[in-house]
Amino acid sequence: MDDRNRPVTGYPAANPQTNGYSAAGPPPAGTAYPYAAAAPPPSAYYYQTNPYQHHNYQYDADSIHRATCLRRIFAFVIGLVVIFGTVTFIVWLVLRPQLPEFRVDSFSISNFTIGNDSLTSFTSELKLTARNPNKKMTLGYDQVQTAIFYQAYSLSETSVAPFYQGTRNETSLTARFADAGSFLDKSAVDGITRERGKNGNVNFNVRVVSRVRFEAKAWRTRRRFLKVFCGDLVLGLATNGASGALTGGARQCRVGI
């Protein structure tokens, strides 16, 4: 008779005839155990540490609309720039605008005097030829200002009447200067005196500034400032109060916008 107060040790003995399996026999090969593995706690992977957890975002419809409008405006501006550049390039190919050409034909100074107080007096006449080399574009000049310089020192200024040039046209211009008692900087006076002492010649410069417009039938540009520089104009002025004319013939000028 079994003692009920005896502690239980071990497990029930297996049936030697079934070798520990039920009477139905062992499970087929490749069959898993009849119990399923416990599922991991959902909070461990889906709520706390899962970096790929899907979040629900709320989009601002107004922000999306504003961004779309900005993109459309930006695309429109780029389109305008491309169209304008293309049209300008085509017009340039068709018209081939060229800068005008200027030439000094004659230049003379009379009674050029420098007093002991550095005051100068003289009269001068300058003749220029302006040429329009364009085949399809005309040129309109206004506010034509002409000045005589010794180095960078201005001696006298005057204006030339506005004029118009057709295609392949040459226009003669005359500018007359008069100076009566203008003060000249001492460094300029010393430079003129030094040049006179070397060979009796004095080197002058002439500058012409004008507003010019290029036109071709219905197409025209806005007015631009045209700058003409005529340098190294040598005049024979050996003595004080002498008169001199341009030596070495006509001189071509530099032109820029």
Side-chain angles (χ1 to χ4, degrees):
M1 184 175 182
D2 297 333
D3 186 1
R4 295 183 179 180
N5 295 325
R6 182 181 177 181
V8 178
T9 58
Y11 294 92
N15 189 343
Q17 296 180 354
T18 59
N19 196 22
Y21 295 99
S22 62
T31 303
Y33 289 98
Y35 56 87
S43 60
Y45 298 98
Y46 295 91
Y47 294 95
Q48 296 179 1
T49 61
N50 185 8
Y52 303 102
Q53 181 182 357
H54 177 72
H55 296 279
N56 292 324
Y57 294 98
Q58 294 183 353
Y59 296 96
D60 188 354
D62 293 336
S63 298
I64 297 175
H65 180 69
R66 285 194 296 269
T68 302
C69 290
L70 288 176
R71 286 194 296 268
R72 290 176 179 175
I73 293 173
F74 187 67
F76 178 74
V77 171
I78 292 178
L80 285 181
V81 172
V82 172
I83 292 173
F84 179 77
T86 302
V87 172
T88 302
F89 180 69
I90 292 174
V91 170
W92 181 84
L93 287 178
V94 173
L95 300 179
R96 294 295 180 94
Q98 302 179 57
L99 291 177
E101 300 170 358
F102 280 76
R103 181 183 70 245
V104 175
D105 295 322
S106 66
F107 180 39
S108 63
I109 290 181
S110 301
N111 302 321
F112 186 79
T113 303
I114 301 177
N116 295 329
D117 50 3
S118 297
L119 297 181
T120 62
S121 62
F122 64 90
T123 58
S124 178
E125 183 178 84
L126 173 70
K127 290 187 177 181
L128 299 165
T129 296
R131 179 177 179 270
N132 177 14
N134 292 282
K135 298 179 180 179
K136 300 179 181 180
M137 303 191 71
T138 60
L139 303 177
Y141 299 83
D142 61 4
Q143 299 181 4
V144 185
Q145 301 292 327
T146 309
I148 299 175
F149 288 84
Y150 174 75
Q151 296 179 357
Y153 301 96
S154 177
L155 300 179
S156 182
E157 297 182 4
T158 190
S159 299
V160 177
F163 62 99
Y164 177 85
Q165 278 191 305
T167 58
R168 293 296 182 92
N169 176 264
E170 287 191 356
T171 304
S172 297
L173 308 173
T174 300
R176 293 181 174 88
F177 304 85
D179 182 23
S182 296
F183 176 79
L184 186 61
D185 192 89
K186 184 179 183 304
S187 60
V189 174
D190 293 342
I192 293 174
T193 303
R194 186 167 51 253
E195 288 190 27
R196 277 177 170 176
K198 288 182 179 179
N199 51 19
N201 296 328
V202 180
N203 195 328
F204 294 94
N205 302 318
V206 170
R207 185 188 66 189
V208 180
V209 178
S210 174
R211 293 178 61 189
V212 62
R213 171 179 287 175
F214 294 76
E215 301 179 3
K217 295 182 179 180
W219 185 85
R220 62 180 60 184
T221 66
R222 62 181 178 87
R223 295 191 182 277
R224 299 175 178 271
F225 278 100
L226 183 74
K227 300 177 182 179
V228 181
F229 180 79
C230 310
D232 299 327
L233 305 178
V234 180
L235 279 70
L237 297 171
T239 60
N240 203 27
S243 299
L246 180 66
T247 61
R251 300 293 179 85
Q252 202 71 24
C253 303
R254 298 199 305 266
V255 182
I257 290 182

